[in-house]
mmCIF file of all heavy atoms in Angstrom:
data_model
loop_
_atom_site.group_PDB
_atom_site.id
_atom_site.type_symbol
_atom_site.label_atom_id
_atom_site.label_comp_id
_atom_site.label_asym_id
_atom_site.label_seq_id
_atom_site.Cartn_x
_atom_site.Cartn_y
_atom_site.Cartn_z
ATOM 1 N N THR B 31 10.744 -8.271 -6.630
ATOM 2 C CA THR B 31 10.784 -7.046 -5.844
ATOM 3 C C THR B 31 9.960 -7.159 -4.575
ATOM 4 O O THR B 31 8.848 -7.688 -4.583
ATOM 5 C CB THR B 31 10.265 -5.858 -6.692
ATOM 6 O OG1 THR B 31 11.018 -5.820 -7.918
ATOM 7 C CG2 THR B 31 10.461 -4.539 -5.964
ATOM 8 N N GLY B 40 -4.343 6.687 10.967
ATOM 9 C CA GLY B 40 -4.854 7.859 10.279
ATOM 10 C C GLY B 40 -3.968 8.368 9.161
ATOM 11 O O GLY B 40 -4.218 9.448 8.620
ATOM 12 N N LYS B 41 -2.955 7.607 8.823
ATOM 13 C CA LYS B 41 -2.049 8.031 7.756
ATOM 14 C C LYS B 41 -1.961 6.956 6.688
ATOM 15 O O LYS B 41 -2.268 5.796 6.912
ATOM 16 C CB LYS B 41 -0.658 8.315 8.322
ATOM 17 C CG LYS B 41 -0.625 9.494 9.278
ATOM 18 C CD LYS B 41 0.804 9.856 9.661
ATOM 19 C CE LYS B 41 0.824 11.054 10.572
ATOM 20 N NZ LYS B 41 2.206 11.431 10.966
ATOM 21 N N ASP B 65 17.042 -0.523 9.178
ATOM 22 C CA ASP B 65 17.924 -1.266 8.289
ATOM 23 C C ASP B 65 17.102 -2.366 7.651
ATOM 24 O O ASP B 65 16.074 -2.790 8.201
ATOM 25 C CB ASP B 65 19.092 -1.918 9.053
ATOM 26 C CG ASP B 65 20.114 -0.896 9.502
ATOM 27 O OD1 ASP B 65 20.290 0.120 8.803
ATOM 28 O OD2 ASP B 65 20.742 -1.112 10.564
ATOM 29 N N PHE B 89 3.497 -2.384 10.197
ATOM 30 C CA PHE B 89 4.476 -2.526 9.125
ATOM 31 C C PHE B 89 3.968 -3.554 8.125
ATOM 32 O O PHE B 89 3.652 -4.683 8.495
ATOM 33 C CB PHE B 89 5.836 -2.939 9.688
ATOM 34 C CG PHE B 89 6.467 -1.848 10.513
ATOM 35 C CD1 PHE B 89 6.137 -1.706 11.851
ATOM 36 C CD2 PHE B 89 7.362 -0.967 9.949
ATOM 37 C CE1 PHE B 89 6.699 -0.687 12.620
ATOM 38 C CE2 PHE B 89 7.938 0.041 10.700
ATOM 39 C CZ PHE B 89 7.593 0.192 12.030
ATOM 40 N N ASP B 97 10.042 -4.439 -10.516
ATOM 41 C CA ASP B 97 9.928 -3.088 -9.977
ATOM 42 C C ASP B 97 9.310 -2.132 -10.981
ATOM 43 O O ASP B 97 9.641 -0.964 -11.036
ATOM 44 C CB ASP B 97 11.309 -2.584 -9.553
ATOM 45 C CG ASP B 97 12.302 -2.589 -10.719
ATOM 46 O OD1 ASP B 97 12.195 -3.475 -11.578
ATOM 47 O OD2 ASP B 97 13.168 -1.697 -10.756
ATOM 48 N N GLU B 102 1.239 -4.826 -10.004
ATOM 49 C CA GLU B 102 0.435 -4.992 -8.803
ATOM 50 C C GLU B 102 1.329 -5.405 -7.649
ATOM 51 O O GLU B 102 2.208 -6.264 -7.800
ATOM 52 C CB GLU B 102 -0.628 -6.067 -9.036
ATOM 53 C CG GLU B 102 -1.470 -6.376 -7.805
ATOM 54 C CD GLU B 102 -2.526 -7.425 -8.082
ATOM 55 O OE1 GLU B 102 -2.600 -7.892 -9.237
ATOM 56 O OE2 GLU B 102 -3.266 -7.777 -7.151
ATOM 57 N N THR B 112 4.306 -2.112 18.989
ATOM 58 C CA THR B 112 4.031 -1.229 20.115
ATOM 59 C C THR B 112 5.313 -1.111 20.926
ATOM 60 O O THR B 112 5.923 -2.124 21.276
ATOM 61 C CB THR B 112 2.920 -1.795 21.007
ATOM 62 O OG1 THR B 112 1.737 -1.965 20.230
ATOM 63 C CG2 THR B 112 2.630 -0.854 22.170
#
Side-chain angles (χ1 to χ4, degrees):
Chain B
T31 306
K41 295 188 178 180
D65 287 329
F89 292 85
D97 58 327
E102 176 179 359
T112 301

